[in-house]
Amino acid sequence: GQQVMQIPQYQHVQEGEDFTTYCNSSTTLSNIQWYKQRPGGHPVFLIQLVKSGEVKKQKRLTFQFGEAKKNSSLHITATQTTDVGTYFCAGPRLDSSYKLIFGSGTRLLVRP
Amino acid sequence: DAGVTQSPTHLIKTRGQHVTLRCSPISGHKSVSWYQQVLGQGPQFIFQYYEKEERGRGNFPDRFSARQFPNYSSELNVNALLLGDSALYLCASSLGNYNEQFFGPGTRLTVL
């Protein structure tokens, strides 16, 4: 079945260092969404990418959607302690856009 | 404006019992989705409802059922609870089928 994988599973960085998480789908996605979940919290929507090769920026966060629409990445420049949390990518299943498949997530820890 | 609300916040049940979880979407949102999140994993899609009709179902047994009411609120029912049903149950609402998901705080279900 369709799978969405993320690497790495964990990343522990020093405050100020950069961070990148990668998302790979076994099949082509019509779009990809990114969410952040703080410890003990619920997922919060960050962004949606739709076009092949699309790049979007939100302050220190840069999101990319691959040319083949099967992979995506999230890059954080100069991490801060407020960036701590788990970052999930999610894409709709091919047989129905109503079913959102979440990746396994990357947990980011930031040392002050 | 109020966000997505869920009740109860925590619930403890024993094996074989049934449970009903409730969700109220953001005002104006007609789509409600349910997810199960086991510790350390990404949310797993259970159901999506749009305009009171089921539009998608994940790989969950028939013990799981849901419905959406005329005011767009929703209930998730789980019968014959198993230990493995222990998880955080998240409800998310959106304007339509393809839009960003706004998640509620979740219901933490523990099955003993």
Side-chain angles (χ1 to χ4, degrees):
Chain A
Q2 181 179 354
Q3 291 186 326
V4 178
M5 305 298 293
Q6 280 183 256
I7 55 170
Q9 187 176 5
Y10 297 97
Q11 187 83 53
H12 202 173
V13 301
Q14 186 72 40
E15 187 174 21
E17 291 182 339
D18 292 355
F19 160 78
T20 304
T21 173
Y22 299 92
C23 175
N24 293 285
S25 170
S26 57
T27 55
T28 303
L29 301 169
S30 59
N31 67 75
I32 194 149
Q33 300 176 12
W34 283 91
Y35 292 81
K36 176 185 178 181
Q37 186 172 22
R38 294 182 185 272
H42 57 273
V44 174
F45 176 83
L46 294 176
I47 209 161
Q48 177 173 286
L49 304 171
V50 179
K51 299 177 182 177
S52 170
E54 188 171 12
V55 178
K56 286 189 176 181
K57 292 189 176 183
Q58 288 180 349
K59 297 183 180 178
R60 294 179 296 105
L61 278 61
T62 302
F63 304 83
Q64 287 188 311
F65 199 11
E67 293 292 338
K69 301 182 77 172
K70 295 180 72 173
N71 56 72
S72 182
S73 65
L74 159 59
H75 180 80
I76 302 178
T77 303
T79 54
Q80 300 175 358
T81 55
T82 54
D83 296 326
V84 165
T86 301
Y87 293 84
F88 293 100
C89 61
R93 276 181 57 162
L94 287 178
D95 59 351
S96 169
S97 295
Y98 308 129
K99 303 178 186 179
L100 204 59
I101 307 300
F102 277 76
S104 45
T106 295
R107 185 178 176 188
L108 173 63
L109 302 172
V110 180
R111 289 189 298 269
Chain B
D1 286 340
V4 177
T5 59
Q6 292 186 243
S7 63
T9 54
H10 295 84
L11 203 52
I12 300 175
K13 293 284 189 178
T14 56
R15 282 177 297 176
Q17 287 188 311
H18 70 273
V19 67
T20 298
L21 310 181
R22 295 177 175 83
C23 171
S24 291
I26 291 173
S27 178
H29 285 192
K30 298 181 179 180
S31 174
V32 170
S33 298
W34 287 95
Y35 296 84
Q36 180 195 67
Q37 186 175 29
V38 175
L39 193 63
Q41 297 183 17
Q44 298 292 311
F45 175 86
I46 308 176
F47 285 109
Q48 191 212 17
Y49 278 78
Y50 181 74
E51 287 279 17
K52 302 180 287 294
E53 290 189 2
E54 182 183 307
R55 295 300 184 95
R57 185 186 181 110
N59 296 325
F60 282 81
D62 292 342
R63 299 185 295 107
F64 289 75
S65 64
R67 55 179 175 169
Q68 187 177 32
F69 299 99
N71 66 353
Y72 302 110
S73 66
S74 178
E75 283 182 354
L76 175 69
N77 295 283
V78 186
N79 294 323
L81 286 167
L82 302 174
L83 295 179
D85 295 331
S86 295
L88 178 67
Y89 287 85
L90 295 162
C91 171
S93 75
S94 61
L95 280 171
N97 294 320
Y98 311 100
N99 302 95
E100 63 186 271
Q101 306 271 302
F102 291 84
F103 283 85
T107 294
R108 173 73 62 185
L109 173 64
T110 302
V111 182
L112 302 176

